[in-house]
Amino acid sequence: MRLEVKELRKNFGEKEVLHGISFSVESGRALGLLGRNGAGKTTTIRILMDVFRANSGSITMDGKAFVPGNYQIGYLPEERGLYPKKRVDEQIIYLAGLRGINYREAKKNMKHWLKRMGVEEYETRKLETLSKGNQQKVQLAQTLVCNPDIIILDEPFSGLDPVNSQILKEVVQEQIDGGKLVIFSSHQMSYVEEFCQDIVIINHGDIVLSGELSEIKRQYGKNRLFLSAADMEPEQLAAQVRESLGELVTVHQVQKRGLVLQLTPQHTKRDVLSALPGLPVDVETFGNYEPSLTDIFVERAGDEA
C-alpha cells in the first residue's frame, strides 16, 4: 500500500493552518511526522482519520481516493481516549466492536495483546487503578486489537520506563516488519531515528524538510566536521579555531560536546587535519560530523531560537 497526501490545505475560520502539504508513506516503512506544538501534525492526522475535512488537496491509496472506512486504522492519540472508570477488557472489546470486529475475535485479540504487553493480569481491573505506564500499554493494545492496516502513533512512549519502552519498541518494529503502514509522531527523536526510514518536518503548516532519513543525514553532514578538546570549553575552542583555522573552516555550531565546523570552499578534511597540530589545544575528537535528528530538527524548525 502507498498512502499519498497531495497539496493538503486546511482553514479554521480565516486562518489557514495547513498550506498545501504533500508526503507519502508505504507499507513496511515508518514515516516520522515531526513538528513543534501547533505546527499542524494533529490536524493532518485528523484529516487522515476523516475527523476533519480538508479545504483542498487529496489523499490517495495506491492511486485511488483514500476512504478511511475501507481500512482498519489503529490510532493512538497523544491525548489518551480510554475510560478510567471502566474495566480494561470491556472497553477494548467495545472499541473493537465499533471497528466492525465481532465479539469472539475482539476478545481473542484483546487477550493476545494484553499478554503481549505484559498486562494480562489487569484484564478485569478498572483502568484508573493501573500505573501510567501500564495504562499506556493498554492504550497500545486497543490500538492493535483490530489488526489494523494503518497504524498512527502519536507520542506512544510517553510515560514509559526503559523496560516498558523496550516492549513497546519490539511491538512497533514487529508491525513495521509485518508490512503495516506506520505513521509515527513524537518529540523523542531517538525513537524516530530507530523506527523511521522517512521523515516529514512540518513548521507553521508548511513542510520544511522531507525524505529518506539516511540521505537527509548524509546531506546535512556533507562538508562538515566535528571537533572537541579535552582541556577547553567549546566557546573557548571556537575562538581558537576562528583565530588559527579561519581560512579552512567556519564554526557552524557550538554544541555542548564540541564544535560543528563547515569547510570553506576548495578546502578538505585533509587540510584541516594537517593544520590541527598548530592548534594550541588537546584535541579529543576530530572527524566527520554525523548530525542527529535533533540537530536537523532544531535547524529546520527552531525558528529564531
Side-chain angles (χ1 to χ4, degrees), residues 12-235:
F12 291 110
E14 296 183 356
K15 182 179 181 181
E16 187 177 68
V17 296
L18 296 180
H19 312 310
I21 66 171
S22 302
F23 62 85
S24 62
V25 56
E26 299 180 9
S27 299
R29 294 175 73 89
L31 173 74
L33 184 63
L34 311 176
R36 297 169 67 183
N37 293 331
K41 304 187 304 299
T42 301
T43 299
T44 302
I45 289 172
R46 288 176 177 171
I47 291 173
L48 287 171
M49 297 285 296
D50 204 25
V51 176
F52 293 158
R53 293 292 176 90
N55 291 87
S56 64
S58 65
I59 304 174
T60 59
M61 180 70 83
D62 296 330
K64 299 179 181 179
F66 176 61
V67 181
N70 292 344
Y71 300 87
Q72 285 289 0
I73 302 176
Y75 177 38
L76 179 70
E78 182 176 6
E79 298 296 331
R80 307 313 179 209
L82 294 183
Y83 302 102
K85 297 188 180 297
K86 295 292 184 180
R87 282 175 34 164
V88 167
D89 56 348
E90 291 176 346
Q91 56 185 313
I92 291 180
I93 291 172
Y94 168 70
L95 291 169
L98 292 181
R99 302 178 206 171
I101 309 298
N102 65 56
Y103 179 83
R104 179 176 293 181
E105 184 179 357
K107 186 173 182 179
K108 178 184 175 182
N109 292 351
M110 178 270 298
K111 287 182 174 293
H112 166 78
W113 282 114
L114 290 182
K115 183 176 181 180
R116 181 67 181 86
M117 299 295 172
V119 291
E120 68 271 27
E121 63 189 284
Y122 305 120
E123 178 181 324
T124 60
R125 295 264 297 271
K126 291 182 179 180
L127 188 71
E128 65 182 358
T129 66
L130 276 61
S131 68
K132 185 176 180 180
N134 284 331
Q135 288 186 31
Q136 182 70 344
K137 290 195 284 185
V138 170
Q139 293 274 0
L140 189 61
Q142 72 82 23
T143 301
L144 300 174
V145 71
C146 64
N147 189 27
D149 308 298
I150 302 167
I151 301 170
I152 302 174
L153 304 172
D154 196 350
E155 298 292 353
F157 293 93
S158 175
L160 294 181
D161 60 42
V163 174
N164 285 328
S165 291
Q166 184 59 39
I167 295 172
L168 211 59
K169 285 194 289 187
E170 292 171 0
V171 169
V172 173
Q173 191 61 56
E174 287 168 5
Q175 299 306 304
I176 297 169
D177 294 342
K180 301 301 176 74
L181 192 154
V182 178
I183 297 176
F184 187 94
S185 180
S186 178
H187 290 121
Q188 296 173 284
M189 298 297 167
S190 60
Y191 292 124
V192 177
E193 290 193 78
E194 189 164 352
F195 296 121
C196 299
Q197 295 97 328
D198 308 294
I199 63 165
V200 169
I201 298 179
I202 303 177
N203 196 33
H204 300 306
D206 291 299
I207 290 183
V208 295
L209 185 66
S210 65
E212 190 171 353
L213 181 55
S214 59
E215 176 60 20
I216 289 171
K217 285 186 147 191
R218 190 184 71 80
Q219 289 296 327
Y220 266 74
K222 189 176 182 180
N223 295 325
R224 290 180 180 176
L225 306 170
F226 185 81
L227 176 68
S228 68
D231 59 346
M232 192 172 290
E233 293 296 319
E235 287 288 358

